[in-house]
DNA sequence: TTGTGTTTGTACTCACTTTCACAAGCTCAT
DNA sequence: ATGAGCTTGTGAAAGTGAGTACAAACACAA
């Protein structure tokens, strides 16, 4: 039972999937889900799922499966999503506004605590119950326990803004602008370039 | 000069990156970019880039680098982005509206040709110069040469809608809803679940 | 023409990831 | 209590991708 192996990066990347599957398939019920059922839903192979979960402990019961609510709670603990994670949203443009009013972040424990923009016309306005604040006062978030940020500003401003966020104590950034950010190693970036992701689609059309 | 090797999936996934880099770094100029310069910008290793590009031909010149406009055009050809690719957008909600008016898809040759929704209150309204059409009439796109779709509707409706799209001749789908679509093998899906992607961030916060 | 400096293209090696196969362990009917 | 039927957890094998090192090729100066 040597569980001191290194946990693969790809396993970490799949953990939120499992959480999503347990939340969706399990409903609010307290039943069990087998690696087979999970695999069918997530389009993965059962042994992959079993191995991934087993890196963190023996969550399942042989002959039965994984207990829904218990395993979900375990994954939340592993990903540190068991406590509400405050995030700031930078950029109250088209994409930022959509994100601000999106309830889907709550399932993962994310809570948008503040919205910033640098356009005078937008500062002071309210979206999703939050008043848009001036980016110039971004440093003030240092006092609160905000460690996450969502970047929804133009690419040209993204690096400068990321620098400020890191200065303000942010440790993780979801970057939606089409550029590659340079940050200290302790800061984790997840970049999503929607247009670019779509760029592979025509290749596969025969 | 045996170039009959299998092209790795990961290489395909990186090709749009290279296109983005050539577009951004190269500007409209007609200079050269070395694998080193590209790597610095994209946060990759130079040999990785050279190997990826060499799968498709000898685009570079030793001692010089890759010719910007020529290589960009080659990559567009490889990804079939050299011709304008029509796409339909399904869902004129918060996210759909943001996407409809986003100019960033054009760089990759994407052109949103029509917008659909099933809400009576939205059908007939205009966004981004396009009149929102009734999803019930989605099958009509068969006549036009539309092979791509962007799905920005709730997860519960996504699978049914995907089925209709496939019936209507769509061969590639950018799915933004938090669910895993089941489609025939000939259809390519790129799914992006923003909330889920963010789910790994807290894990890395020490 | 020759030498120097630079950069590509790629064989080889190494690392990571996924899949396979099966023993161990649980449930439940008899 | 026992056996039949599942499902987990995991070592070993297979598959895939990344990194290293270097020869080949080009530009340009002398
Ligand atoms: N809209 C989309 O569908 C979409 C799709 C993919 C990617 N993106 C990317 O997301 C980002 C935002 O896109 P958008 O469409 O919402 O753009 P937008 O122009 O509608 O909004 C950008 C917002 O950022 C604000 N801003 C600009 N510079 C700022 C700064 N230095 N500090 C704070 N705020 C600043 C602007 O005032 C504006 O409100 C862009 O990088 C874009 O490329 C958008
Ligand atoms: N808003 C965000 O920031 C965000 C972020 C991540 C993911 N998403 C996902 O993107 C999708 C859309 O999100 P949203 O925030 O724009 O939702 P929304 O409710 O604002 O918009 C959904 C739109 O889809 C339409 N619709 C519903 N069922 C339909 C059907 N069967 N056919 C055609 N149209 C239909 C609705 O009329 C509405 O206009 C959802 O799956 C959501 O989970 C949104």
């Amino acid at each position: 039972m040597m569980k001191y192996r290194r946990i693969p990066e790809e396993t970490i990347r799949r953990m939120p999937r499992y959480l999503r599957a347990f939340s969706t398939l399990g409903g609010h019920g307290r039943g069990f889900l087998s690696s087979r059922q999970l695999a069918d839903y997530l389009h993965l192979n059962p042994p992959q799922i079993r191995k991934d979960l087993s890196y963190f402990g023996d969550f399942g019961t042989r002959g039965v499966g994984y207990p829904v609510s218990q395993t979900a709670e375990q994954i939340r603990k592993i990903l540190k999503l068991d406590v509400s994670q405050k995030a700031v949203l930078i950029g109250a443009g088209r994409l930022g506004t959509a994100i601000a009013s999106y309830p889907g972040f709550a399932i993962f424990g994310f809570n948008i605590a503040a919205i910033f923009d640098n356009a005078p016309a937008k500062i002071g306005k309210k979206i999703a119950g939050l008043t848009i604040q001036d980016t110039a006062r971004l440093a003030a978030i240092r006092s609160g326990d905000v460690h996450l940020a969502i970047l929804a500003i133009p690419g040209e401003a993204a690096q400068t803004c990321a620098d400020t966020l890191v200065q303000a104590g942010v440790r993780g950034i979801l970057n939606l602008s089409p550029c590659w950010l340079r940050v200290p190693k302790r800061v984790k970036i997840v970049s999503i370039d929607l247009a670019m992701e779509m760029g592979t689609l025509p290749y596969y059309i025969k």
Side-chain angles (χ1 to χ4, degrees), chain A residues 12 25 27 31 47 57 75 83 113 115 121 132 140 166-167 176 180 191 195 199 201:
Chain A
I12 304 298
L25 287 181
I75 298 173
V83 291
I115 303 176
I132 299 168
V166 171
Q167 279 294 317
L176 298 166
W180 287 268
S191 270
L201 285 183

Side-chain angles (χ1 to χ4, degrees), chain A residues 90-96 117-119 122 135 152-155 157 176-178 194:
Chain A
I90 321 292
R94 292 169 299 223
L95 194 53
D117 203 298
N118 74 345
K122 300 197 173 179
T135 320
I153 62 174
L176 298 166
S177 70
L194 290 181

Side-chain angles (χ1 to χ4, degrees), chain A residues 23-178:
Chain A
S23 305
T24 309
L25 287 181
H28 352 276
R30 43 178 58 262
F32 288 79
L33 284 169
S34 69
S35 59
R36 176 62 165 281
Q37 291 174 290
L38 291 163
D40 283 348
Y41 181 69
L42 295 170
H43 303 179
L44 293 171
N45 291 324
Q48 173 101 269
I49 295 174
R50 294 201 296 273
K51 184 168 270 193
D52 281 344
L53 293 176
S54 79
Y55 278 110
F56 300 98
D58 295 1
F59 302 141
T61 306
R62 290 164 199 234
V64 180
Y66 297 90
V68 171
S69 48
Q70 242 167 291
T71 313
E73 199 48 39
Q74 287 289 343
I75 298 173
R76 281 204 189 85
K77 271 215 181 74
I78 292 160
L79 295 174
K80 302 209 184 86
L81 298 172
D82 54 329
V83 291
S84 174
Q85 292 277 357
K86 287 187 193 172
V88 289
L89 170 65
I90 321 292
R94 292 169 299 223
L95 194 53
T97 305
I99 285 170
S101 50
Y102 180 54
F105 288 104
I107 292 173
F108 291 93
F110 297 121
N111 167 26
I112 295 178
I115 303 176
F116 290 87
D117 203 298
N118 74 345
K122 300 197 173 179
I123 296 163
K125 292 237 171 91
K126 270 199 167 187
I127 53 172
L130 290 165
T131 305
I132 299 168
Q133 299 178 57
D134 191 340
T135 320
R137 269 183 267 166
L138 202 58
I141 64 170
R142 228 183 195 306
S143 46
D145 54 338
V146 180
H147 302 295
L148 299 174
I150 302 174
L151 256 192
I153 62 174
E156 307 83 51
Q159 182 61 63
T160 308
C161 187
D163 295 343
T164 311
L165 285 166
V166 171
Q167 279 294 317
V170 163
R171 302 295 294 274
I173 298 174
L174 177 68
N175 173 41
L176 298 166
S177 70

